Amino acid sequence: MTSSTGILVVAAQRELRRALFDTFDGDGHFIVHSARDATHAGILLEGRAPLALIVIVFEGDGREGMAGIEVLSGVPACAGAPILAVLDDNAVLKPNVLPAGIADWLYASQIEHELLSRWQRLHRMGARQDVNGSAVATGGDGDYRFAFDEVDDEWLVVDPARGHLIDYSPALVRHSGLGDHELRGRPIKDVLVCKETTVEQVIAEGSRQWHAGRRRSSRGADTGEVSARAVRHGGRDAVALLFRSDRASVRAEIALALLTRMFASGSGDEGIAEAARLLFEDMGLDYVAVWSARPDEGGAPVQLVQYWRGDEQLWPGPHLQSSLRLVLSGQAMLHQADAARLAPMDPLLAQLGLAGFAGWPLQDERRTVLGALLIGTRQPLPSLAIVQPVLRCAASRFAHALELRHTREQGRAEGLLDALTGLPNRLLFNDRLDTVIREANRTGECFALLFVDLDRFKTINDTLGHAVGDQVLLTTTQRLRGSVRASDTVARYAGDEFVVILRHIVKNEDVLRIAEKIVQVMGAPLRIDDGTELQVTASIGVSFFPDDAPDADILLKHADEAMYAAKSLGRNNYQIFEGSAEQSQQQNLALKSGLRHAEHKGELRVFYQPQVDAVTEDIVGMEALVRWEHPELGFIGPGFFIPLAEETGLIVSIGEWVLRTACRHAQEWERRFGLGLRLGVNLSAVQLMQPNLLEVVAAALDESGLEANLLEMEITESISIKAAPNLVENLQGLHRLGVRIAIDDFGTGAASLDYLRKLPADRIKVDQSFVRNIGVDPDDEAIVRATIEMAHRLKRGVVAEGVETEQHMEFLRANHCDELQGFLFCRPLPQPAFEKLLLERQRLLEGVGETAA
C-alpha cells in the first residue's frame, strides 16, 4: 500500500499560500503541494501518491472553498485525506457552518503557532475524513482518548442533539473529583454552566471563543472559561467543550507536570517556542514573551517568541518597554495585581491592560544576562507560592536554551563569515537574500541587487602576490561599507566578487546614484603597505526586485549578466540588467493591460506612512502611497508601475482614485480622533497639466468633507515650469482652495532659489538619497544642512524622508529639521493597520491622562 506523505495547500491569496507552505516546509517532514485553487491542485496532483492532509482556505462567504472541496472529491490523491480548514480573518463564514468532512479548523492569524500542532493532533487521533465527508477514521475512539491522555486539559464531549455528556478526559476527573456515574450520560448543564450565556448556546455556535463559566466539582464548583469546537466521535458529529480552570495555575501537581513538560520540550528555537506555549496555556496566562539580548555586547533585544490572548496589536519596540529594559538590567519584577500602576511608564502594559505582570532575567551561571521572560494576566496573578517557583524554574530553562543558542550562533558564524573581510559569505548572503525576498513579497517593498567585480584582480594577485591582493580586498570592503547604509547588506560572494542588497528603494534612480558613487569611490588610488599606489576599478551589474526577477537565483543571474555587460563596455562602470527586447515588451504589455483593470478589480491599495514631529516624535501627518496588489505577482511597488501608468495616461484616473480614497480615510480619522493630521498626496507632471485639476481636488474635498488645510499636494522638484507651462497657475489655484503645497524629492533636481520663490510651497521634503548617506558621506550631510537652512530662510517647513537610523534622527534634530518620515518610526501601513496605530496612540494618551488625574 502506498504511504500517505504529501500535504496539499489550497489558497487564493499568495501571502496565505506562502505562510502555509513555509510552516509545513520549515518542519522538514512533508512534501507540500501549493495551489491557487482546486483546479490548479488537480493538475499538480496528477499521478501523485495519496495525500496525508488537505489544507484549504475559506474566504468571504466560503462558497469558493466549498466548491473547491467538491472539485477535490474527484481527485484520486485526495481520497481519504482529512481536511483542515483555515478561515481568513476577514471571512464572514462562521465555523459552525463549515461543510461536512472538515476534521478541524483555525483562523489564518493562528497559522504560525497552531497549524503544526493541529495537524499532529489529527494525525495522532486518526481523524481521517475524505473530501466527500465520509468517516475513514483509522484509530476509532481509542485514538481519541489517547489524545485526551496526552494533555492535562479538561475536555467534555457532548451529543449536540440531546445535550448529554458522552465522553470526557481523565483530566476532568482528576480536577473535579467527580466519578463516572456523575458524568457519563448526564445533561451537560448539570456539569457545566456559563455566566453570560448558556452552555447550550456555546454548543450551538461551536465557536472557539472563550466564555466565563463554572464546572461542578466534588468541592462545589471551580470557576474558569469554556470554549467549544466541532469534532467527530464514534462516527457521529459531536461538540468538544474545553474547560480551563482558574485553579489550574495554583495546583502544585499541575505546576510540576508543566515544568516537567517544559524541560522535555526539546532544544533550539522550536523548543523555546514550545516551552513558552506550555507556560502560556497551562498557567492560564494572557501574555508571554521570551527575549534574547546580551547587554554586555550592546546588541538590540530580539523577541524569540510571543503569545497573546487577544486582538492583534501594534507592539511597541523594545526601546520603549521600560519593564523589559529593567529586567534586562538584571532586576526581577513581580506585580501580582497592581501592574496598572506601571502603565504610564510602559506602553506595553498600558496597551494590553494587564493587572498581573512578572519579568525574570534569564542569566547564565556567571549571572550574565542573556534575555528576559515576561508574563502577564488581565486578572491578578494567582498564589505567588506557586507562581514564583514556576517562573524561576521556567527562567532557568529558557536561560539554558539561550546559552546553547548563543554558543551555536558563535560556531555557525565561523562558517558564515568570510575569514579575511569579516563580511557575510555566500552561504549567509543567500540566506539573507531569501529573507529579504520573503519580506518584500509580504510588504510590497522594492530593493536592488548589485554584483560588484574587481577589474583585473587576477593580475594583481599574480604579479604582486596574495598579500597585496588581500590588502585590496580589505580596502574594497571598507569602501563598499562606507557607500551604503547600515540597513543594507554587503557580502563577499567569491574571490574578487562582492554583492550588495539595497533595501527600501522608492525610485530606481536612487540606486543608480549609489552605483555611480561606488564606481567613483572604487576608482580612487589605493596605497599599499610599501607606499605603492594602485588603481583598482570595479564593474557593477544591477538588477531590481521584483522588476527583473521574482526569486533569488534569477535575480543574481541577471545582476551577474549586467556586470559582464559593464566589463564588455570597458570596465569601471555600472550597467542595469536589460532583458530581451521582445521579453520586456511582452511583460510591459501584460502589466499595462492588468493596470488598466486594476482599479475596477479592487487591486489598488492606499498605504500610509506617518510623519512625526522631530522633537516630540508624535504623529503630525501621513503620506498616501499607492500599491498594486497583482493577483499573481503580489504587491508591486510604485517605482515600477507608476512609470507605466504615466506612459499610458492611466496616472490621471489612478491619481484621482488615490486622492478620493485618501481624503475619505483622512476625514474618517479626523472625525474619530480629531488630531488635525496633514494628508500628503503626490501629484505627477501629467496630473499637473490637466485643465480640470482644481475641480478634481475640490470635488475630492467636498465628497469626503476633509478640510482643505489638512490636504497637502506633493510635486517633485524635477517638474520644470517649461515642462508644465501652467504649473504655477495650478499651484496658486490649489493654494486659493486652502490646500498646502510641498516640493518632494528636493535636492535631486536643479531648482534655483528664484524657482523656489515663485512656487507657492509650504514645505520642502529632503530626498531620501541624501538622508540615507548621513554618517556616510560628508558632502550629502552638507547638502541636507544647507537645504534645511535655506528652507527656513524662505519660511518653508522641512520634512526629511528615508530616516532609518538613530544617527539620521540625531543629525536632523541637531540641524533643526521640523519633521521626519521613514522606517525608523514606521513602515507604510495599509488603512486598517494605520487606523489601529492611531487607536493605540489614543489609548496610550488616555491611560496616561487618567493616571495623572
Side-chain angles (χ1 to χ4, degrees):
M1 180 178 176
T2 306
S3 62
S4 302
T5 57
I7 290 178
L8 171 66
V9 168
V10 182
Q13 292 185 44
R14 186 175 185 274
E15 191 172 316
L16 280 179
R17 197 161 65 240
R18 187 58 188 258
L20 290 162
F21 180 91
D22 287 348
T23 302
F24 282 124
D25 186 60
D27 203 51
H29 302 299
F30 311 106
I31 300 169
V32 185
H33 309 286
S34 177
R36 296 185 302 274
D37 51 38
T39 304
H40 182 204
I43 297 170
L44 286 177
L45 297 174
E46 185 70 35
R48 300 278 186 178
L51 295 171
L53 176 68
I54 297 170
V55 181
I56 187 164
V57 174
F58 285 78
E59 302 177 10
D61 59 7
R63 291 181 184 175
E64 290 189 12
M66 295 178 190
I69 290 178
E70 188 174 340
V71 172
L72 294 176
S73 65
V75 178
C78 296
I83 304 173
L84 180 62
V86 176
L87 296 186
D88 179 63
D89 292 334
N90 296 318
V92 297
L93 178 74
K94 299 300 180 186
N96 59 325
V97 295
L98 283 169
I102 301 296
D104 199 358
W105 67 274
L106 70 159
Y107 285 113
S109 57
Q110 298 172 301
I111 288 173
E112 181 180 356
H113 299 300
E114 292 199 28
L115 178 64
L116 292 177
S117 62
R118 297 289 180 87
W119 159 229
Q120 289 158 2
R121 186 171 66 190
L122 285 177
H123 191 61
R124 289 195 302 265
M125 292 170 63
R128 301 189 41 84
Q129 300 227 300
D130 65 18
V131 288
N132 297 306
S134 304
V136 289
T138 58
D141 295 341
D143 280 341
Y144 195 79
R145 294 193 60 76
F146 173 71
F148 277 162
D149 291 337
E150 283 206 315
V151 295
D152 207 18
D153 292 332
E154 297 186 32
W155 288 95
L156 304 90
V157 182
V158 181
D159 179 350
R162 298 173 58 236
H164 284 198
L165 189 61
I166 56 177
D167 204 357
Y168 52 84
S169 67
L172 176 67
V173 177
R174 291 196 301 272
H175 297 170
S176 69
L178 300 176
D180 184 72
H181 66 285
E182 299 173 279
L183 295 170
R184 195 175 302 277
R186 302 285 296 179
I188 186 61
K189 63 183 180 181
D190 290 353
V191 181
L192 196 63
V193 295
C194 293
K195 186 177 179 182
E196 296 176 352
T197 183
T198 64
V199 71
E200 291 84 355
Q201 183 63 32
V202 174
I203 291 171
E205 290 176 357
S207 168
R208 290 173 181 258
Q209 182 176 351
W210 290 97
H211 301 273
R214 288 183 292 111
R215 190 253 302 125
R216 180 185 164 201
S217 77
S218 59
R219 300 170 299 278
D222 290 341
T223 60
E225 295 176 300
V226 184
S227 72
R229 58 219 67 199
V231 297
R232 296 282 291 177
H233 182 270
R236 296 179 299 168
D237 289 333
V239 173
L241 297 171
L242 172 59
F243 179 74
R244 188 170 61 198
S245 172
D246 290 337
R247 293 176 55 82
S249 58
V250 298
R251 293 171 65 93
E253 65 271 22
I254 295 175
L256 286 172
L258 163 64
L259 292 173
T260 300
R261 289 156 61 207
M262 283 182 65
F263 276 89
S265 59
S267 60
D269 288 357
E270 289 183 3
I272 292 174
E274 176 63 11
R277 187 191 67 79
L278 289 170
L279 184 67
F280 178 71
E281 295 291 349
D282 288 24
M283 291 288 288
L285 303 173
D286 294 309
Y287 173 73
V288 168
V290 178
W291 290 83
S292 170
R294 295 186 68 87
D296 57 322
E297 294 181 0
V302 176
Q303 189 176 78
L304 300 182
V305 63
Q306 174 177 273
Y307 292 103
W308 162 240
R309 205 181 305 279
D311 296 334
E312 184 180 346
Q313 302 285 326
L314 284 168
W315 301 95
H319 63 291
L320 297 176
Q321 298 182 35
S322 58
S323 300
L324 172 63
R325 295 202 306 271
L326 187 64
V327 174
L328 289 175
S329 73
Q331 184 171 329
M333 301 178 65
L334 184 56
H335 295 269
Q336 187 171 11
D338 64 344
R341 71 182 182 85
L342 303 175
M345 291 80 74
D346 193 324
L348 177 73
L349 299 182
Q351 191 169 310
L352 302 186
L354 301 177
F357 180 78
W360 238 258
L362 308 180
Q363 299 171 313
D364 62 15
E365 293 179 355
R366 298 177 299 280
R367 309 297 291 172
T368 300
V369 176
L370 307 176
L373 167 64
L374 305 181
I375 65 115
T377 52
R378 293 187 179 93
Q379 301 299 319
L381 290 171
S383 170
L384 298 185
I386 295 295
V387 171
Q388 278 187 289
V390 167
L391 289 180
R392 196 172 288 115
C393 292
S396 175
R397 187 258 182 265
F398 289 124
H400 179 66
L402 289 183
E403 195 167 11
L404 285 175
R405 186 176 188 268
H406 186 65
T407 302
R408 287 172 181 154
E409 285 176 351
Q410 285 181 317
R412 278 201 302 267
E414 295 176 4
L416 296 176
L417 298 178
D418 178 58
L420 174 65
T421 63
L423 294 174
N425 63 14
R426 182 186 296 212
L427 187 63
L428 180 55
F429 170 78
N430 287 338
D431 181 71
R432 286 192 183 174
L433 181 57
D434 287 337
T435 300
V436 171
I437 288 175
R438 281 198 300 272
E439 291 181 5
N441 283 326
R442 189 176 68 250
T443 64
E445 172 196 337
C446 298
F447 69 87
L449 180 66
L450 276 58
F451 207 112
V452 182
D453 186 89
L454 300 184
D455 297 327
R456 300 186 176 90
F457 179 75
K458 186 175 183 299
T459 303
I460 294 174
N461 256 347
D462 291 345
T463 58
L464 301 177
H466 290 282
V468 173
D470 287 350
Q471 289 183 50
V472 170
L473 294 173
L474 288 169
T475 302
T476 299
T477 299
Q478 293 168 357
R479 290 178 174 181
L480 287 175
R481 277 179 162 165
S483 300
V484 301
R485 300 163 298 177
S487 58
D488 299 324
T489 294
V490 178
R492 186 182 179 191
Y493 201 69
D496 62 341
E497 295 174 340
F498 296 81
V499 276
V500 180
I501 301 174
L502 300 176
R503 302 285 305 272
H504 312 315
I505 299 303
V506 176
K507 302 188 298 293
N508 289 1
E509 290 81 359
D510 296 338
V511 175
L512 305 188
R513 279 196 287 271
I514 295 169
E516 178 61 36
K517 177 181 176 182
I518 292 174
V519 169
Q520 293 176 0
V521 167
M522 290 300 301
L526 185 156
R527 188 181 298 275
I528 59 177
D529 288 347
D530 64 0
T532 304
E533 278 195 355
L534 298 177
Q535 191 77 25
V536 181
T537 60
S539 299
I540 303 174
V542 183
S543 61
F544 292 93
F545 179 93
D547 305 19
D548 296 329
D551 60 61
D553 290 342
I554 299 178
L555 198 65
L556 272 165
K557 177 174 177 286
H558 287 171
D560 186 52
E561 291 172 2
M563 182 270 292
Y564 278 106
K567 284 189 177 295
S568 69
L569 292 172
R571 299 179 172 83
N572 192 27
N573 70 93
Y574 71 87
Q575 293 296 315
I576 304 168
F577 171 76
E578 293 182 2
S580 68
E582 182 180 356
Q583 182 183 6
S584 299
Q585 187 177 12
Q586 288 176 348
Q587 183 187 40
N588 275 355
L589 286 174
L591 286 171
K592 286 176 184 176
S593 176
L595 191 56
R596 290 183 192 281
H597 306 290
E599 180 184 341
H600 304 296
K601 289 183 176 180
E603 293 171 3
L604 296 180
R605 306 279 184 269
V606 181
F607 279 49
Y608 299 90
Q609 187 169 34
Q611 297 169 342
V612 304
D613 184 278
V615 177
T616 66
E617 296 184 35
D618 196 12
I619 300 174
V620 293
M622 62 273 183
E623 181 179 2
L625 302 162
V626 65
R627 299 285 188 269
W628 178 15
E629 189 174 6
H630 193 282
E632 295 177 3
L633 301 176
F635 276 106
I636 299 177
F640 183 59
F641 75 85
I642 289 298
L644 293 179
E646 291 178 332
E647 185 180 329
T648 57
L650 293 171
I651 191 65
V652 175
S653 62
I654 290 175
E656 289 183 17
W657 178 85
V658 171
L659 178 64
R660 292 196 310 272
T661 303
C663 285
R664 189 174 68 251
H665 290 161
Q667 174 56 21
E668 174 61 19
W669 293 331
E670 180 62 19
R671 183 187 65 79
R672 289 188 61 186
F673 305 106
L675 297 176
L677 297 182
R678 181 184 55 246
L679 169 68
V681 179
N682 289 278
L683 275 179
S684 71
V686 178
Q687 289 174 280
L688 274 168
M689 289 188 283
Q690 295 300 305
N692 66 336
L693 174 64
L694 299 183
E695 289 82 356
V696 169
V697 174
L701 291 170
D702 290 340
E703 291 170 11
S704 64
L706 184 69
E707 292 291 334
N709 65 343
L710 295 182
L711 176 63
E712 181 174 80
M713 308 306 293
E714 299 184 5
I715 65 162
T716 182
E717 182 201 9
S718 59
I719 299 175
S720 69
I721 295 175
K722 291 181 180 179
N726 53 345
L727 170 67
V728 176
E729 291 78 7
N730 268 340
L731 294 182
Q732 288 173 341
L734 289 172
H735 240 198
R736 286 193 295 272
L737 286 176
V739 175
R740 304 184 192 190
I741 306 297
I743 300 177
D744 199 9
D745 305 333
F746 190 83
T748 60
S752 65
L753 275 172
D754 185 56
Y755 174 84
L756 290 177
R757 288 193 188 98
K758 288 180 181 178
L759 295 181
D762 300 282
R763 290 200 310 158
I764 288 173
K765 299 186 74 176
V766 182
D767 188 68
Q768 65 162 342
S769 61
F770 300 109
V771 175
R772 71 184 293 165
N773 283 333
I774 290 172
V776 174
D777 190 329
D779 292 339
D780 284 349
E781 289 180 357
I783 290 172
V784 173
R785 273 194 296 265
T787 300
I788 296 172
E789 185 181 345
M790 177 191 67
H792 286 166
R793 281 207 313 271
L794 295 174
K795 295 182 172 53
R796 292 348 186 220
V798 183
V799 59
E801 299 179 291
V803 181
E804 296 189 0
T805 68
E806 295 282 346
Q807 186 179 21
H808 293 168
M809 180 177 70
E810 293 304 325
F811 176 90
L812 292 163
R813 274 180 176 167
N815 286 279
H816 311 294
C817 183
D818 302 304
E819 295 170 17
L820 311 173
Q821 177 181 345
F823 279 74
L824 177 64
F825 305 101
C826 189
R827 61 184 173 82
L829 299 173
Q831 179 255 337
F834 191 84
E835 185 168 309
K836 185 168 285 189
L837 176 70
L838 297 179
L839 187 61
E840 293 301 338
R841 175 198 176 277
Q842 183 183 57
R843 286 176 182 167
L844 180 60
L845 291 180
E846 286 174 352
V848 172
E850 290 171 5
T851 304

